Amino acid sequence: MLISLLWLLLSSCQDFLSVDNYFSDELKLDSVFAETRYVKAYMWGAASMFPDEGQILQNNYTPGPLATDEAFTGFLTVYAYNGMRFVLGEITAANLYSFNTWGNLYKIIRKCNTILARIDEAKDMTTKERFEIIGYTRFLRAYAYYNILVDFGSPILLGDKIMESNASLADYDCIRSTYDEAVEYICSELEGAAENLPSSVSLMEFGLPTKGAAYGLIARIRLIHASPLYNGGDAARAYFGNWKRSTDGAQYVSQNYDEKRWALAAAAAKRVMDMQASGSVMYKLHTVDADSDTPALPGDVTSDPDYYKEWPTGAAGIDPYRSYSEMFTGESVIPSNPEYVWGRKSAAVTTNTQMSFPQKLDGFNGMCVTQKVVDAYSMIDGSSINNSSEAYPYTETGFTNDVKTFSGYRLNAGVSNMYANREMRFYASIGFSECYWPMSSSTSSGYYNQTIAYYFDSPNGKGSVSSPNDYPITGYVIKKYIHPSDAWGGTNARRMDKGFPIIRYAEILLSYAEALNNLTTTHTIEIDGQQQVFERDMNEIKKAFNQVRHRAGLPGLSGNEDAKTVQSLIEKERMVEFLFENRRYYDVRRWGIYEKEESESIKGMNVEGTKDVFYTRVAPNTSRIGARIVNKRLALLPIPLNEVRLLPSLDQNPGWGD
């Protein structure tokens, strides 16, 4: 997950690109700690063992979008879209496919523990280098545990212990921690790491963890810990009420609600929001100033008196389409994006765009967005499709009459009225029938400036493609990471480098709003030695939530909403804002609504029909829709069966068996 740049930074260690084999076969471990440069190489070798965070679709390290109501594909075995395997019930404890990361994460932890135990052996190491290595190593160890926690649940916490290779089986037989113990340990390690991590890094070092990365992870973990699945109540009882540690009967997940966890989550988010550099805030939402090509804000918006104020207290003065889209397409300079609390360049994101491109233009037509996602996008004035305004009505009949261009985007004439007057994030993210594809890097006639349709008898429709799977099974594809110049076919076809946001500032803002919204009493929390009070303050909730809405060109909260309404709006906002960013999978689980959300049938347009019947909501004609399962055991991945059978005290996750 840490970028390959980590290796390039080690200019004095160019001979150690295969650092693990070199150290084990040539230098032996004793020699690793003889010199500081070898210790650093060994540390970054551990970092390189994390997967690319943007690898959330093909050979994915975590179930991701395809394991939720965000996405669907007709591809499966050939391209290893294992999120589909997960929801089809094909993942087992005996075969996790690419999800089998448990052992690798513990290898990283072992390497980190080795560094911390032997760091003082390098006699040429300066005090500054020592603290720097300790900071990065503790972060890497905590990040490995974090990945175990969110995918597999409670980990085995080893602390600083190093398991010797010649130890007896009894020495290896450790119990899993409770969820609460794991959260406190990981957050404590991240706090410790942050003390020695830099506040920022140079453009060339983009991807290395910083204080903000550590604090951002703490904010995410605290929010998960406060959420219904892990914080008592109906969801915790339904999923984990009978899950107890076999050695002592301890509940793995607490069954007692603790409201203070929400205050801790709010405090953790607020700390990131308050971080400063050179006297100004360190993180803020990515925006692009409005210009003559920016569409005017819609009229008759009365729900938000701040709507026409200048950004950030309103939506005026910025280009909402470009402010959102250019974070993902590669147009914005990735390392200098102020919204990336932690991010990286991702080869996987770039590669996966080919799955969205038209089949006739050297793509695969197969990475599909669901109708549920499409319907979640607001109209341009912030109203829903089910309650649209007279000025911007939603209709499922008829087609647009004129070409509209705005912010560098072209909306064709002849597009279904279903897709007219939608919010800017919709156009930045969704490829629909009759959508315009510039693909301007290609210089071959017919490979650029193309209008792509998905009707049965259209060139990229089911009836015309050359391979039976190469059509968009829902009638939509994900375009969020595609730059207008990106192309896969024709002469000179190129793709812009993509960034993957591991933690975005928008997440911090919405997490802060959600945490405050769940408070019913006042809580005092200490942040960096200062006592701060947290309560359900609608002005604070509005301030955080509305920034995200205004950046999208939409009105925000009025300030008069009740807690239930605000929670519902936050859930919808996170679904749209973080589409295909690997947040939805974890959100529906932590909220305890996984079964409710995932039990809804996957739907899309009628790709079996010609244009006159295409625009009808149907369940795709594939047996895989009906084969999708909804089961409480899918709240967590199973621990690999060989690990469970090897260690008598290692309990399996609920529902997966031994």
Side-chain angles (χ1 to χ4, degrees):
M1 297 180 182
L2 296 176
I3 58 175
S4 58
L5 173 62
L6 296 176
W7 288 109
L8 300 179
L9 294 172
L10 303 171
S11 57
S12 63
C13 300
Q14 292 298 313
D15 295 332
F16 304 112
L17 296 182
S18 183
V19 71
D20 247 2
N21 289 337
Y22 188 88
F23 284 144
S24 60
D25 296 339
E26 300 293 336
L27 290 176
K28 306 294 187 184
L29 199 57
D30 286 343
S31 297
V32 172
F33 295 95
E35 295 183 36
T36 301
R37 62 183 182 131
Y38 295 155
V39 177
K40 288 183 178 180
Y42 187 75
M43 177 181 69
W44 294 129
S48 72
M49 293 172 66
F50 287 106
D52 178 342
E53 274 97 344
Q55 196 168 320
I56 57 175
L57 298 173
Q58 186 178 4
N59 287 310
N60 36 324
Y61 66 95
T62 188
L66 287 164
T68 72
D69 49 10
E70 286 185 315
F72 196 85
T73 185
F75 293 89
L76 181 58
T77 55
V78 176
Y79 292 99
Y81 291 108
N82 293 323
M84 288 289 295
R85 281 193 169 105
F86 188 60
V87 294
L88 292 173
E90 296 179 12
I91 298 294
T92 68
N95 191 351
L96 278 84
Y97 294 93
S98 56
F99 303 154
N100 193 3
T101 60
W102 174 277
N104 190 60
L105 291 167
Y106 273 105
K107 288 180 182 177
I108 296 171
I109 291 166
R110 177 187 171 86
K111 288 177 180 291
C112 290
N113 284 355
T114 301
I115 293 170
L116 295 173
R118 304 187 63 172
I119 189 170
D120 291 332
E121 295 178 24
K123 301 305 180 185
D124 66 331
M125 188 177 294
T126 65
T127 300
K128 180 184 177 186
E129 287 173 325
R130 182 178 184 275
F131 283 122
E132 177 186 81
I133 292 170
I134 288 174
Y136 282 128
T137 300
R138 291 184 72 181
F139 181 93
L140 296 175
R141 181 170 67 176
Y143 192 46
Y145 277 122
Y146 159 81
N147 279 276
I148 294 170
L149 182 76
V150 295
D151 281 338
F152 297 98
S154 302
I156 297 172
L157 294 177
L158 298 176
D160 295 332
K161 185 176 181 180
I162 302 172
M163 293 293 189
E164 299 299 333
S165 59
N166 60 352
S168 67
L169 181 59
D171 290 331
Y172 286 105
D173 189 25
C174 302
I175 63 173
R176 299 174 72 179
S177 72
T178 66
Y179 203 89
D180 293 355
E181 290 167 346
V183 165
E184 297 308 322
Y185 175 79
I186 297 169
C187 288
S188 175
E189 282 299 296
L190 289 168
E191 294 280 359
E195 294 177 6
N196 296 309
L197 289 174
S199 295
S200 61
V201 295
S202 69
L203 296 183
M204 286 296 294
E205 294 174 326
F206 173 69
L208 270 66
T210 60
K211 289 184 188 295
Y215 290 157
L217 277 178
I218 292 171
R220 180 182 288 173
I221 293 167
R222 289 295 183 192
L223 189 76
I224 293 171
H225 195 216
S227 298
L229 188 65
Y230 299 106
N231 193 13
D234 293 341
R237 285 191 292 272
Y239 282 80
F240 303 124
N242 297 321
W243 190 30
K244 298 180 180 180
R245 195 158 54 197
S246 59
T247 55
D248 60 4
Q251 290 276 173
Y252 275 113
V253 174
S254 174
Q255 300 298 295
N256 299 313
Y257 178 69
D258 182 2
E259 183 178 286
K260 187 178 180 180
R261 294 185 188 179
W262 290 111
L264 289 170
K270 187 67 162 55
R271 177 168 59 179
V272 179
M273 294 162 63
D274 290 343
M275 291 183 71
Q276 293 195 348
S278 302
S280 60
V281 294
M282 182 170 289
Y283 303 111
K284 59 183 179 180
L285 296 183
H286 174 267
T287 58
V288 175
D289 290 342
D291 59 21
S292 60
D293 200 27
T294 302
L297 293 171
D300 302 324
V301 177
T302 58
S303 62
D304 187 354
D306 294 330
Y307 189 53
Y308 288 103
K309 292 183 179 179
E310 291 291 315
W311 171 262
T313 56
I318 64 170
D319 188 304
Y321 174 84
R322 294 181 62 199
S323 294
Y324 185 77
S325 70
E326 291 181 2
M327 281 192 292
F328 310 106
T329 63
E331 177 67 22
S332 175
V333 178
I334 300 165
S336 60
N337 186 342
E339 186 159 346
Y340 277 32
V341 177
W342 190 27
R344 58 159 297 160
K345 290 184 179 179
S346 173
V349 170
T350 304
T351 299
N352 277 322
T353 61
Q354 189 172 16
M355 274 298 293
S356 293
F357 272 75
Q359 194 263 345
K360 296 296 185 182
L361 302 177
D362 292 359
F364 299 113
N365 255 350
M367 191 48 60
C368 301
V369 179
T370 66
Q371 189 68 46
K372 183 177 183 178
V373 168
V374 171
D375 290 346
Y377 285 98
S378 302
M379 304 301 291
I380 196 170
D381 62 354
S383 60
S384 70
I385 65 169
N386 297 318
N387 190 30
S388 62
S389 65
E390 184 176 342
Y392 302 99
Y394 175 78
T395 176
E396 297 185 358
T397 59
F399 301 90
T400 58
N401 296 318
D402 304 308
V403 173
K404 292 183 179 180
T405 58
F406 50 85
S407 307
Y409 184 89
R410 172 184 168 123
L411 183 64
N412 281 335
V415 168
S416 169
N417 283 326
M418 295 172 70
Y419 313 133
N421 296 318
R422 303 297 286 271
E423 61 157 294
M424 292 298 150
R425 290 177 297 187
F426 171 80
Y427 299 116
S429 304
I430 308 299
F432 46 87
S433 199
E434 305 288 356
C435 195
Y436 183 73
W437 291 65
M439 300 175 288
S440 58
S441 68
S442 179
T443 56
S444 296
S445 178
Y447 279 86
Y448 59 89
N449 295 345
Q450 297 295 300
T451 295
I452 305 302
Y454 301 127
Y455 319 126
F456 182 84
D457 53 353
S458 65
N460 286 281
K462 183 178 180 180
S464 303
V465 294
S466 56
S467 174
N469 288 323
D470 288 351
Y471 70 97
I473 201 166
T474 65
Y476 304 100
V477 296
I478 182 72
K479 284 189 74 177
K480 182 171 179 174
Y481 296 95
I482 296 174
H483 189 275
S485 67
D486 287 352
W488 283 94
T491 305
N492 295 322
R494 300 186 304 276
R495 277 75 56 192
M496 294 281 283
D497 289 340
K498 314 298 179 189
F500 186 80
I502 304 169
I503 305 171
R504 272 205 286 132
Y505 187 60
E507 178 187 346
I508 300 297
L509 290 173
L510 293 179
S511 295
Y512 180 62
E514 181 179 351
L516 290 182
N517 187 57
N518 278 276
L519 295 177
T520 61
T521 60
T522 300
H523 298 267
T524 301
I525 305 296
E526 182 177 309
I527 306 177
D528 297 334
Q530 300 293 319
Q531 299 291 323
Q532 295 193 30
V533 175
F534 293 89
E535 59 187 350
R536 189 180 183 274
D537 183 336
M538 272 305 297
N539 287 329
E540 283 288 292
I541 294 171
K542 178 181 173 181
K543 181 180 177 181
F545 180 85
N546 285 6
Q547 285 187 60
V548 180
R549 293 280 289 181
H550 287 154
R551 195 262 299 276
L554 300 171
L557 296 170
S558 68
N560 298 317
E561 295 85 356
D562 61 24
K564 184 177 180 180
T565 299
V566 172
Q567 180 64 32
S568 177
L569 290 171
I570 289 172
E571 290 176 8
K572 180 179 178 182
E573 195 66 18
R574 289 182 68 101
M575 180 183 188
V576 169
E577 178 72 19
F578 304 127
L579 180 69
F580 274 68
E581 293 183 50
N582 203 30
R583 303 293 357 120
R584 178 73 175 168
Y585 173 79
Y586 299 110
D587 278 345
V588 295
R589 283 159 174 77
R590 70 177 178 85
W591 287 325
I593 61 173
Y594 153 70
E595 290 175 289
K596 171 182 173 293
E597 294 297 307
E598 299 299 327
S599 62
E600 297 180 26
S601 175
I602 297 293
K603 290 185 178 179
M605 292 289 94
N606 183 9
V607 297
E608 307 288 338
T610 54
K611 185 174 182 178
D612 57 329
V613 295
F614 177 85
Y615 297 101
T616 307
R617 287 174 177 77
V618 298
N621 183 20
T622 170
S623 60
R624 287 179 181 153
I625 291 290
R628 291 175 87 251
I629 63 171
V630 178
N631 191 298
K632 286 184 172 62
R633 74 170 183 268
L634 300 189
L636 296 170
L637 288 172
I639 295 175
L641 189 59
N642 62 320
E643 300 283 351
V644 176
R645 288 179 173 174
L646 182 65
L647 305 178
S649 299
L650 181 59
D651 298 326
Q652 181 60 277
N653 286 332
W656 289 101
D658 295 330

